[in-house]
Amino acid sequence: MALEANATLFVERSQAGERLGAEVSMLKLRGSRLIQLWEELTVDALGPEALVLDPAALVDGDGTHDWLAGTASSRRFLARGYTIAGGSSEIQHNILAKQVLGL
Amino acid sequence: VNATPTNMTTLLLSEEQTMLADSARKWVARHGAPTSSEAGDAERWRSMAELGWLALPLPEALGGLGGSTVDLCTLAEALGQAAQPTPWAAAAVLGAGLLAQAAPEAVAAEWAPLLAEGHRRVAFAAFEPGAQRALSPQITTAQRTAGGWQLNGSKALVLGGPADAWLLLARLHDRHDELGYFLLPRSAPGLRVESGRLVDGQPVCTLQLQGVQLHGALRTGPAEDLLAMADTAQARATLAHGAELVGAMAQALQLTLDYLKTRRQFGKPIAANQVVQHRLVDLHVQIEEARAITRAAAAVFDGAALPLRRRWCAAAAACVAQAAHHQWEEVLQLHGAIAMTQEHDIGRYIKRLAVGRQLHGDAHGHLARLADLSLPNTD
């Protein structure tokens, strides 16, 4: 809910005509981490059953692999990509440090 | 449950709110000196009255300014930047605000101008010793007598500074499912006030009531109704306290940035180390989120249905409490040994945050409430 409120505030500032800068990096930083925590929580909630590989769940209706529809465990692994792709969390930290905090 | 604050209102500050924050920041620069003496408190209270800040939480019908919850939080955040001990949120928002609601119209009309002009201060004695933050009175009772009421019991951790009278809830002796609101003047015979301070300098007191005689009750009625009134007032004040903490966190981070940019270790400023920079970024992001969620909760407070309001209040309070806890530990560590001394200003902020993260309900309590409000009942 904090991320939702923060994102809403950025959207409204943008709609009010403000040119947003590097500070929006914080949404990527926190959003990607939230997805990971969510997927971890799913794995924890399911317990050891989350560890069983279910090949059927990985195959979409048209026979292609749908990785996001996979088991909780494989979704958990895939979610690690969010903090790497699109500017890793380390890069987001650097951007915020330099451009927002002036370090 | 899926409704968001922005379905109904904006999270951006209005022009008036921005002006309010600016004037509060200027006031803080003038009055923010960390004196916790009674004289300093009285002077700041007078000044707040002149600026209309004591009238802001009072309804217009009583001659107040009828400020919205966002207005109150905007002012609270700016005041929080000084981390000074004047209990505006506790007395002006909670004490005066609840009195305006709980008292009969004639009594409220008599008190409102005195409160708004700073001639009188009322605080809400909300909690009892050992009862954590339960609003429902257990040991404070009121018994009808020939001349009115006799009160016995005790209230603890009463905030709001040197009050002239305390508002409190008591259990009615002859009716088990009813409560009463009473206004207890400082001079009431049988009342013993034990004044002290919290570790961050905020004034606090304990009230001992032994055979206190009062002519009348402000209001008596079903426990459920009177508790709902106290709960709403307390929730609004908790948001204002949260906004104060956001202000204190922001200022603590600013002091930390200033210090780390100038203090040199091993031939370069401490802030030149990437590991330090990333920790500072995490603090900054956490403050921005705490500010945004507090703003969102304040924005839904005045208009939204009760379940939505309560969810956002619980989420905001949990977020602020978690943040305050993390921030005081981090800014202390990042400052190093100087933060353990009295000589640096950061110490006031560390104490304020360490106190604040527990004083208005800790994160566990608020998260548990959020879970109760958000998840289907599994009992």
Side-chain angles (χ1 to χ4, degrees):
Chain A
M1 289 167 86
L3 179 65
E4 177 186 351
N6 206 20
T8 303
L9 204 45
F10 277 121
V11 170
E12 287 195 33
R13 281 169 57 184
S14 169
Q15 284 170 345
E18 192 178 333
R19 279 176 65 99
L20 297 175
E23 64 267 31
V24 293
S25 274
M26 74 176 71
L27 298 180
K28 159 61 163 80
L29 185 64
R30 297 284 289 154
S32 55
R33 190 73 191 115
L34 183 64
I35 297 169
Q36 291 176 345
L37 292 171
W38 174 260
E39 297 295 356
E40 286 294 333
L41 182 63
T42 312
V43 170
D44 282 353
L46 288 170
E49 288 186 29
L51 305 176
V52 179
L53 184 65
D54 177 7
L58 297 178
V59 181
D60 209 359
D62 59 4
T64 58
H65 281 276
D66 179 359
W67 295 102
L68 281 178
T71 59
S73 275
S74 46
R75 287 171 62 102
R76 180 259 301 262
F77 288 128
L78 262 177
R80 305 314 294 191
Y82 288 110
T83 51
I84 302 170
S88 69
S89 288
E90 288 66 30
I91 297 297
Q92 305 298 338
H93 272 98
N94 284 347
I95 292 170
L96 289 164
K98 282 194 178 55
Q99 297 186 37
V100 178
L101 298 185
L103 298 171
Chain B
V1 168
N2 290 322
T4 63
T6 43
N7 288 350
M8 50 202 90
T9 178
T10 175
L11 296 188
L12 297 179
L13 293 184
S14 68
E15 209 171 308
E16 288 83 5
Q17 286 160 347
T18 306
M19 280 163 59
L20 177 65
D22 284 345
S23 66
R25 271 192 288 270
K26 283 180 197 139
W27 185 89
V28 159
R30 268 202 321 278
H31 293 266
T35 60
S36 53
S37 68
E38 290 222 357
D41 176 274
E43 206 261 309
R44 288 190 292 265
W45 205 252
R46 249 195 319 277
S47 171
M48 286 182 171
E50 281 167 18
L51 287 159
W53 295 347
L54 304 184
L56 192 65
L58 293 169
E60 284 175 293
L62 292 173
L65 294 172
S68 70
T69 305
V70 176
D71 292 340
L72 300 181
C73 287
T74 302
L75 179 53
E77 185 184 329
L79 293 176
Q81 288 181 347
Q84 43 95 351
T86 310
W88 177 77
V93 177
L94 179 55
L98 184 55
L99 179 68
Q101 276 194 305
E105 219 174 293
V107 177
E110 184 193 327
W111 275 86
L114 297 171
L115 296 168
E117 288 159 25
H119 299 311
R120 293 281 185 284
R121 198 185 304 189
V122 170
F124 178 39
F127 311 119
E128 294 183 341
Q132 298 283 351
R133 290 173 50 80
L135 287 170
S136 179
Q138 301 301 319
I139 58 170
T140 306
T141 58
Q143 190 165 13
R144 276 178 227 270
T145 61
W149 297 84
Q150 190 193 74
L151 273 70
N152 287 286
S154 180
K155 299 285 179 178
L157 273 175
V158 182
L159 303 174
D164 299 288
W166 288 276
L167 186 61
L168 54 82
L169 274 169
R171 195 157 282 285
L172 301 194
H173 201 261
D174 52 347
R175 297 188 190 179
H176 289 301
D177 49 357
E178 289 201 2
L179 301 177
Y181 274 107
F182 295 88
L183 189 61
L184 198 60
R186 178 178 276 273
S187 59
L191 169 65
R192 202 169 79 236
V193 184
E194 293 158 10
S195 297
R197 291 193 178 276
L198 300 179
V199 293
D200 67 345
Q202 286 189 72
V204 66
C205 67
T206 300
L207 307 181
Q208 305 286 357
L209 290 73
Q210 255 183 339
V212 174
Q213 306 287 335
L214 291 176
H215 290 303
L218 291 178
R219 175 190 293 260
T220 60
E224 205 180 324
D225 297 349
L226 269 62
L227 285 172
M229 193 180 270
D231 187 62
T232 300
Q234 188 74 45
R236 201 176 194 220
T238 300
L239 279 178
H241 282 300
E244 280 186 340
L245 289 176
V246 169
M249 286 186 241
Q251 185 61 24
L253 177 58
Q254 191 56 53
L255 290 174
T256 307
L257 283 166
D258 293 345
Y259 182 69
L260 297 186
K261 282 179 184 176
T262 48
R263 172 102 169 107
R264 297 176 72 87
Q265 279 282 359
F266 305 112
K268 60 183 180 183
I270 293 174
N273 295 289
Q274 193 182 43
V275 68
V276 171
Q277 291 181 355
H278 286 194
R279 282 168 73 169
L280 291 167
V281 165
D282 286 335
L283 294 178
H284 170 72
V285 172
Q286 191 176 40
I287 295 168
E288 291 300 304
E289 286 191 348
R291 177 182 288 126
I293 196 168
T294 300
R295 181 87 54 81
V300 297
F301 195 87
D302 297 327
L306 190 63
L308 180 69
R309 191 183 83 194
R310 296 180 72 183
R311 271 189 79 230
W312 277 94
C313 280
C319 185
V320 169
Q322 277 175 344
H325 186 53
H326 183 61
Q327 300 270 333
W328 83 256
E329 291 187 339
E330 281 289 271
V331 297
L332 194 158
Q333 179 68 23
L334 288 165
H335 270 83
I338 197 167
M340 306 284 284
T341 70
Q342 297 275 6
E343 68 185 272
H344 197 286
D345 212 24
I346 194 67
R348 289 194 300 122
Y349 290 87
I350 288 170
K351 286 185 214 159
R352 173 54 54 92
L353 295 174
V355 165
R357 72 120 196 155
Q358 247 182 335
L359 189 58
H360 313 294
D362 64 18
H364 300 296
H366 290 300
L367 278 178
R369 211 154 42 87
L370 178 60
D372 283 343
L373 295 165
S374 305
L375 302 173
N377 196 345
T378 49
D379 289 345

